[in-house]
């Protein structure tokens, strides 16, 4: 079984994360906005936060990234991106399942947004128990999904 790990990102991981984003989500970005390399680099420079990013490893190899925000009543999965060469191996499923377990332990909802054109990710999130609660963005290009843990019994 593949050993999945998370390590803190550093500023040195910026280019890896940019290239990962292009490989993992570039086709979806292109389908909605078109891929403009400079615009994407500028956006990445604005939003890449090593303090809030974990690099996903598989057997010690950097294969993805994860960004999670913790709020008083919910956990927000900001980004999960896995290199296409490593997709379909259960890595994303294991990471999201761990977040769902954490949400249950904390008694908090798990929220995320997925692009409407990313049907594969949308199907994964549904399969793992998240429900569509809204569509938003220009032309409703994003789907907000939520998992609410069952109420704890006394």
């Amino acid at each position: 079984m593949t050993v999945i790990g998370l390590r803190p990102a550093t500023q040195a991981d910026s280019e890896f994360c940019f290239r990962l984003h292009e490989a993992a989500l570039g086709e979806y970005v292109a389908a909605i906005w078109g891929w403009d390399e400079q615009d994407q680099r500028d956006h990445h420079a604005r939003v890449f936060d090593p303090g809030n990013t974990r690099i996903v490893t598989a057997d010690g190899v950097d294969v993805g990234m994860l960004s999670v925000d913790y709020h008083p009543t919910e956990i927000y999965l900001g980004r999960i991106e896995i290199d296409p060469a490593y997709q379909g191996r259960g890595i994303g499923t294991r990471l999201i399942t761990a977040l769902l377990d954490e949400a249950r332990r904390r008694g908090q909802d798990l929220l995320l947004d997925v692009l409407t054109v990313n049907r594969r990710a949308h199907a994964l999130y549904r399969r793992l128990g998240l429900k569509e609660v809204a569509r938003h963005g220009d032309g409703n290009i994003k789907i907000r999904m939520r998992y609410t843990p069952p109420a704890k019994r006394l």
Side-chain angles (χ1 to χ4, degrees), residues 71-75 99-110 147-152:
H71 302 283
T73 60
E74 63 194 27
I75 300 169
L99 284 172
L100 291 167
D101 291 344
E102 183 177 6
R104 277 190 286 276
R105 282 192 310 275
R106 295 169 70 123
Q108 294 181 314
D109 288 5
L110 176 67
Y147 168 80
T148 300
K152 292 184 181 179

Side-chain angles (χ1 to χ4, degrees), residues 91-139:
I91 296 168
T93 297
R94 288 165 61 185
L95 292 168
I96 295 165
T97 298
L99 284 172
L100 291 167
D101 291 344
E102 183 177 6
R104 277 190 286 276
R105 282 192 310 275
R106 295 169 70 123
Q108 294 181 314
D109 288 5
L110 176 67
L111 270 73
L112 60 83
D113 291 300
V114 60
L115 294 172
T116 56
V117 295
N118 192 345
R119 290 178 181 87
R120 186 173 177 198
H122 189 218
L124 170 65
Y125 302 143
R126 282 194 321 264
R127 189 176 85 240
L128 294 176
L130 286 97
K131 306 286 185 218
E132 180 176 333
V133 295
R135 292 193 178 218
H136 62 100
D138 292 339

Side-chain angles (χ1 to χ4, degrees), residues 16-26 29 35 40 79 81:
F16 167 78
C17 289
F18 177 78
R19 288 291 164 211
L20 173 68
H21 179 70
E22 182 179 22
L25 294 179
V29 170
W35 184 271
Q40 290 301 313
R79 287 174 67 181
E81 297 176 5

Side-chain angles (χ1 to χ4, degrees), residues 21-48:
H21 179 70
E22 182 179 22
L25 294 179
E27 72 179 275
Y28 306 115
V29 170
I32 295 172
W33 299 285
W35 184 271
D36 179 287
E37 184 83 9
Q38 192 57 54
D39 284 349
Q40 290 301 313
R41 283 200 173 276
D42 292 346
H43 177 74
H44 176 74
R46 285 191 310 273
V47 301
F48 178 66

